[in-house]
């Protein structure tokens, strides 16, 4: 990619929150990968839920678009795809973003794939539907994989073959052992997000037997705090 332009700088400034120290480091790590390094990016962003992985992805996607490249965001579920789609529409209203999932109507999916192939659609967010042979990109430059532990190796490698110089950014709170090993031995770069945004509470994880009363209590707590 070319060095960040004024358009990219304005995108950074449009972020409504104060980035955490770890976020700032991740932003810089990804910028260096995409702008200054000769080899394609292959970076893992590892961090708990709610620490700001999505904004790291949004900045990488916008940088690709600024460089006249398409970007794809691959996620494991329709709900998560919709959430990312809504975020992308809010963060980058000047970009043509599309959503493609298994629930997309056939006629709409056909139009989306035509837009992707022609280059009209700049960012495609979706589930396994992105891996279909009928999804052909005109100029894919960046692949972002969220919750990569939910995808098989063959699925991730399939889309990477589209472009040998494809930049790949992986997001995960619980990366699979293979991914961690590749990062630890230097075959893949890794950035850690540990500092939480201002006001963000620590995530609490509990392991126990499945009980209706426990589920009911958890749901009531979430509804009670508008969660």
């Amino acid at each position: 990619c070319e060095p960040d332009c004024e358009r990219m700088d304005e995108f950074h400034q449009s972020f409504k929150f104060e980035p955490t120290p770890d976020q700032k480091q991740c932003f810089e790590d990804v910028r260096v990968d995409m702008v200054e390094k000769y080899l394609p990016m292959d970076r893992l962003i590892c961090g708990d839920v709610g620490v700001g992985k999505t904004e790291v992805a949004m900045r990488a996607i916008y940088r690709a678009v600024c460089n006249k490249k398409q970007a794809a965001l691959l996620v494991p579920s329709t709900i998560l795809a919709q959430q990312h789609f809504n975020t992308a529409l809010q963060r980058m209203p000047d970009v043509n973003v599309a959503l493609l999932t298994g629930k997309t109507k056939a006629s709409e999916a056909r139009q989306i794939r035509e837009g992707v192939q022609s280059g009209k659609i700049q960012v495609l967010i979706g589930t396994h539907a992105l891996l279909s042979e009928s999804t052909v990109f005109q100029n894919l430059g960046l692949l972002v994989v969220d919750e990569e532990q939910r995808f098989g190796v063959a699925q991730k490698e399939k889309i990477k073959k589209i472009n040998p110089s494809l930049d790949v950014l992986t997001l995960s709170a619980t990366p699979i052992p293979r991914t961690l090993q590749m990062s630890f031995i230097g075959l893949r770069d890794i950035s850690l997000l540990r500092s939480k945004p201002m006001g963000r509470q620590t995530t609490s994880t509990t392991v126990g037997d499945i009980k209706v009363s426990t589920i009911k209590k958890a749901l009531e707590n979430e509804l009670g705090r508008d969660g």
Side-chain angles (χ1 to χ4, degrees), residues 25-182:
Q25 184 60 55
C26 286
F27 296 156
E28 179 62 12
D29 289 344
V30 173
R31 186 197 67 79
V32 170
D33 286 347
M34 297 181 72
V35 175
E36 298 183 8
K37 290 187 178 180
Y38 176 74
L39 295 175
M41 174 173 66
D42 189 4
R43 180 170 294 277
L44 167 66
I45 304 295
C46 185
D48 206 347
V49 176
V51 294
K53 298 189 295 292
T54 299
E55 179 61 17
V56 177
M58 290 295 139
R59 296 193 184 201
I61 289 170
Y62 199 77
R63 180 175 291 108
V65 171
C66 286
N67 282 269
K68 299 180 180 179
K69 301 284 187 179
Q70 289 174 301
L73 174 51
L74 178 64
V75 300
S77 69
T78 301
I79 293 177
L80 185 56
Q82 184 67 56
Q83 291 175 341
H84 280 311
F85 179 65
N86 294 340
T87 300
L89 291 179
Q90 181 183 17
R91 288 292 284 122
M92 47 188 85
D94 57 330
V95 174
N96 193 348
V97 183
L99 175 66
L100 182 64
T101 71
K103 293 187 177 181
T104 305
K105 294 181 180 179
S107 58
E108 185 181 352
R110 185 170 57 253
Q111 291 179 347
I112 290 173
R113 289 190 169 101
E114 289 174 355
V116 170
Q117 188 168 6
S118 68
K120 181 181 178 181
I121 292 176
Q122 299 163 289
V123 178
L124 182 61
I125 299 172
T127 55
H128 296 75
L130 267 68
L131 302 173
S132 169
E133 293 183 359
S134 57
T135 305
V136 180
F137 291 86
Q138 183 194 66
N139 188 24
L140 183 64
L142 172 67
L143 168 65
V144 180
V145 182
D146 195 5
E147 294 194 23
E148 63 91 31
Q149 73 277 5
R150 301 276 294 276
F151 295 96
V153 174
Q155 292 173 315
K156 289 177 285 188
E157 294 301 322
K158 181 178 180 181
I159 197 167
K160 289 181 184 179
K161 292 179 181 179
I162 295 175
N163 181 359
S165 61
L166 183 68
D167 284 327
V168 179
L169 184 65
T170 303
L171 315 177
S172 182
T174 54
I176 59 176
R178 177 178 180 270
T179 298
L180 279 177
Q181 183 186 29
M182 291 176 66

Side-chain angles (χ1 to χ4, degrees), residues 10-19 23 55 59 90-91:
E10 291 176 352
F11 184 79
H12 293 163
Q13 294 169 11
S14 68
F15 189 47
K16 297 180 180 179
F17 305 96
E18 176 63 29
Q23 270 186 308
E55 179 61 17
R59 296 193 184 201
Q90 181 183 17
R91 288 292 284 122

